[in-house]
């Protein structure tokens, strides 16, 4: 198995009466009233510290994503986060989960930025291409919901072609027309970084992934017990095409909280989980399902997307308790033995080779996050690692085409800057005077 530290980067200081005062966390929440840049400054830097700690702790990947105009996730540009991480991490792959391609005009901007990051990081980029939530796409960026998926798919095809073309080409699509496509730089990985498609529960996304050999990553707020139906649908789509049921073609996101006991888990994590479900998932139903966004096939299949599921359950989330969170599998919590048992059950039923975990949620402070991370990497991860060892992972980063050499190694410090461990770097000696 491979393990990935996923971060949402929520705003950590929403008021206790948030649900009573505001109708939702997304789109029109007044930033001038609620967002304090000083709190944001501390949060960004703590969140980057947590991602760097996950790299040092042995995670295979560290994950960021894209959302707009909200307090649920402070990353309108995940590529900026990855740029900050590229020179401060050395082992973990940088999983962009991802760039909402339909929101970029032209989509070649995504091709250029991810190629830059792949080169900068030494070939460590995983490219995630979500359709995007209704809030982000329709209400924040003004995209037409009925044509959103067509525009998205055309954009992804343009990005992939731009990465692989051996000479400049003309692109004449329905939504984008370009006389010259000739991106510089080119990605380090050949033919291109692996492509993951984050999904929230759409039938057509299963087919899109199976037909194009993309990894399907189900990003669930509500845990593996409710996620089983969606993953069954994906594996049925794979089976219908006669493809091998390789677990590495699937990923899943799960909240996890590790402690000495159930009582300690409640003491350390309960209030932060309730902050997430009560405030960060306070979604206005009017933004959750614009006409045309959800396909007819998904409606007929009775598959409920994560956003609509959260929006339709506002009263339930408002009254949610820690015991209900555990009973329903929203958060896998408890001792290492208990967490291993629950995640093993999840793996055996859902068959996912890439497990993404949220070890930070809500307004959890950094010391608690790092404690959770340490317990998970030392006492849980090694016991689950052997799962699926008989399969080859075709959806993972490729090694560079040639050794990187000195220029491609992680630098211990920038010139006169900050070292990899955060200490001030010693100023370099001046170069010798030229004899010319």
């Amino acid at each position: 198995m491979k393990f990935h530290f996923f971060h949402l980067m929520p705003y950590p200081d929403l008021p206790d009466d948030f649900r009573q005062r505001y109708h939702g966390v997304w789109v029109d929440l007044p930033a001038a009233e609620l967002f304090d840049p000083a709190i944001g400054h501390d949060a960004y830097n703590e969140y980057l510290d947590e991602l760097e700690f996950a790299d040092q702790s042995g995670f295979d990947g560290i994950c960021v994503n894209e959302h707009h105009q909200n307090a649920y996730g402070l990353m309108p540009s995940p590529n900026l986060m990855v740029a900050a991480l590229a020179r401060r991490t050395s082992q973990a792959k940088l999983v962009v989960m991802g760039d909402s391609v339909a929101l970029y005009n032209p989509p070649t901007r995504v091709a250029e930025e991810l190629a830059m990051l792949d080169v900068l990081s030494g070939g460590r980029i995983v490219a995630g291409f979500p359709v995007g939530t209704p809030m982000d796409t329709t209400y924040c960026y003004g995209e037409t919901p009925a044509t959103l998926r067509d525009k998205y798919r055309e954009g992804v095809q343009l990005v992939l072609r731009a990465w692989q073309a051996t000479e400049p080409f003309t692109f004449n699509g329905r939504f984008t027309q370009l006389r010259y496509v000739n991106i510089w730089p080119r990605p380090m990985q050949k033919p291109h970084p692996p492509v993951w498609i984050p999904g929230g529960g759409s039938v057509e996304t299963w087919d899109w992934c199976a037909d194009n050999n993309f990894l399907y990553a189900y990003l669930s707020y509500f845990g593996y017990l409710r996620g089983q139906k969606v993953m069954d649908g994906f594996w049925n789509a794979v089976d219908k095409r006669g493809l091998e049921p390789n677990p590495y073609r699937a990923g899943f996101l799960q909240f996890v909280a590790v402690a000495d006991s159930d009582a300690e888990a409640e003491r350390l994590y309960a209030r932060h989980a309730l902050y997430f479900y009560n405030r960060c998932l306070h979604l206005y139903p009017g933004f959750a399902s614009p006409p045309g966004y959800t396909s007819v096939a998904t409606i007929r299949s009775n598959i409920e997307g994560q956003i609509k599921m959260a929006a339709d359950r506002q009263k339930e989330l408002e009254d949610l308790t820690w015991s209900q969170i555990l009973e329903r599998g929203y958060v896998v919590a408890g001792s290492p033995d208990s967490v291993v048992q629950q995640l093993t059950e999840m793996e055996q039923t859902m068959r996912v080779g890439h497990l993404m975990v949220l070890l930070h949620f809500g307004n959890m402070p950094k010391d608690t996050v790092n404690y959770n991370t340490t317990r998970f990497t030392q006492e849980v991860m090694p016991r689950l690692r052997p799962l699926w060892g008989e399969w080859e992972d075709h959806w993972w980063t490729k090694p560079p085409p040639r050794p990187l050499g000195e220029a491609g190694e992680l630098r211990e410090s920038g010139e006169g800057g900050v070292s990899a461990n955060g200490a001030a770097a010693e100023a370099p000696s001046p170069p010798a005077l030229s004899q010319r």
Side-chain angles (χ1 to χ4, degrees):
M1 276 189 72
K2 290 188 173 68
F3 300 89
H4 312 285
F5 185 103
F6 198 110
H7 214 308
L8 292 174
M9 295 194 180
Y11 187 68
D13 196 41
L14 296 173
D16 292 341
D17 59 351
F18 176 70
R19 294 187 71 95
Q20 289 71 47
R21 290 171 55 191
Y22 305 98
H23 76 167
V25 76
W26 227 302
V27 182
D28 58 356
L29 184 68
E33 184 178 327
L34 287 174
F35 181 78
D36 183 335
I39 291 174
H41 169 81
D42 291 341
Y44 276 132
N45 283 280
E46 286 197 1
Y47 294 161
L48 288 168
D49 287 345
E50 291 162 14
L51 286 159
E52 291 168 17
F53 186 73
D55 166 69
Q56 298 160 13
S57 299
F59 273 92
D60 297 288
I62 50 180
C63 308
V64 295
N65 64 356
E66 176 179 339
H67 292 297
H68 302 277
Q69 296 180 196
N70 72 97
Y72 157 91
L74 301 176
M75 281 186 283
S77 175
N79 296 349
L80 285 179
M81 294 293 106
V82 172
L85 291 164
R87 279 171 51 94
R88 303 273 299 184
T89 59
S90 59
Q91 301 302 320
K93 311 310 178 188
L94 306 173
V95 185
V96 186
M97 293 286 284
D99 284 320
S100 298
V101 180
L103 306 186
Y104 292 78
N105 183 24
T108 44
R109 180 77 182 197
V110 174
E112 291 171 331
E113 291 189 5
L114 288 180
M116 284 180 67
L117 293 169
D118 200 46
V119 173
L120 177 63
S121 66
R124 289 191 286 138
I125 291 296
V126 173
F129 297 136
V131 173
T133 71
M135 296 84 74
D136 294 315
T137 57
T138 298
Y139 294 103
C140 295
Y141 269 58
E143 291 294 332
T144 303
T147 58
L148 175 67
R149 293 182 189 276
D150 290 339
K151 184 177 181 182
Y152 156 78
R153 293 188 179 199
E154 179 184 289
V156 171
Q157 291 166 351
L158 173 55
V159 170
L160 293 176
R161 186 176 172 190
W163 280 340
Q164 299 174 84
T166 57
E167 58 185 27
F169 64 90
T170 297
F171 189 83
N172 189 28
R174 176 184 173 190
F175 302 97
T176 300
Q177 298 83 40
L178 295 171
R179 175 64 184 88
Y180 299 102
V181 179
N182 180 36
I183 67 159
W184 281 70
R186 308 273 295 205
M188 179 167 285
Q189 296 180 75
K190 305 301 179 188
H192 55 73
V195 174
W196 292 14
I197 307 298
S202 299
V203 168
E204 57 275 0
T205 305
W206 305 333
D207 298 331
W208 169 246
C209 291
D211 290 339
N212 292 278
N213 204 33
F214 298 150
L215 179 144
Y216 176 67
Y218 182 35
L219 306 186
S220 172
Y221 305 131
F222 299 110
Y224 71 100
L225 297 178
R226 285 194 173 177
Q228 186 64 55
K229 182 178 180 180
V230 172
M231 293 308 302
D232 286 347
F234 169 69
W235 288 118
N236 286 336
V238 170
D239 183 62
K240 286 178 181 177
R241 287 157 176 78
L243 302 172
E244 67 173 9
N246 187 328
Y248 288 111
R249 66 168 68 246
F252 185 74
L253 177 66
Q254 177 66 54
F255 290 72
V256 176
V258 189
D260 282 336
S261 64
D262 291 346
E264 187 191 44
E266 181 173 6
R267 179 178 64 83
L268 289 175
Y269 305 117
R271 63 186 181 278
H272 307 302
L274 292 171
Y275 179 99
F276 175 80
Y277 284 102
N278 187 261
R279 300 180 215 185
C280 297
L281 278 192
H282 179 37
L283 304 181
Y284 172 55
F287 291 147
S289 186
Y293 178 85
T294 303
S295 71
V296 173
T298 297
I299 294 171
R300 285 176 174 168
S301 71
N302 200 30
I303 293 291
E304 193 174 18
Q306 289 300 295
I307 295 297
K308 191 173 187 304
M309 188 183 300
D312 289 346
R313 288 165 172 75
Q314 287 304 296
K315 180 59 178 174
E316 174 187 327
L317 295 177
E318 183 177 4
D319 298 333
L320 198 62
T321 66
W322 175 246
S323 61
Q324 289 173 330
I325 286 173
L326 300 188
E327 290 167 5
R328 298 170 186 178
Y330 295 180
V331 178
V332 168
S335 68
D337 286 345
S338 175
V339 171
V340 168
Q341 184 273 322
Q342 292 176 75
L343 292 181
T344 299
E345 176 186 339
M346 183 199 79
E347 285 299 311
Q348 291 172 342
T349 57
M350 300 184 74
R351 196 177 180 83
V352 292
H354 290 271
L355 177 61
M356 293 160 281
V357 291
L358 279 164
L359 301 177
H360 171 284
F361 38 88
N363 57 349
M364 193 184 296
K366 184 171 72 172
D367 58 347
T368 305
V369 178
N370 288 351
Y371 173 80
N372 197 16
T373 301
T374 300
R375 298 298 299 265
F376 183 83
T377 55
Q378 293 184 0
E379 301 173 71
V380 175
M381 206 159 73
R383 295 165 64 181
L384 296 172
R385 176 73 76 182
L387 288 171
W388 315 123
E390 69 274 22
W391 294 90
E392 183 178 355
D393 188 353
H394 303 292
W395 297 268
W396 198 226
T397 58
K398 292 85 174 172
R402 59 182 176 82
L404 292 178
E406 198 172 294
E409 295 171 357
L410 177 70
R411 298 166 186 251
E412 287 299 322
S413 66
E415 294 184 2
V418 178
S419 67
N421 63 10
E426 185 177 338
S429 301
L433 294 175
S434 172
Q435 299 301 310
R436 291 190 295 166

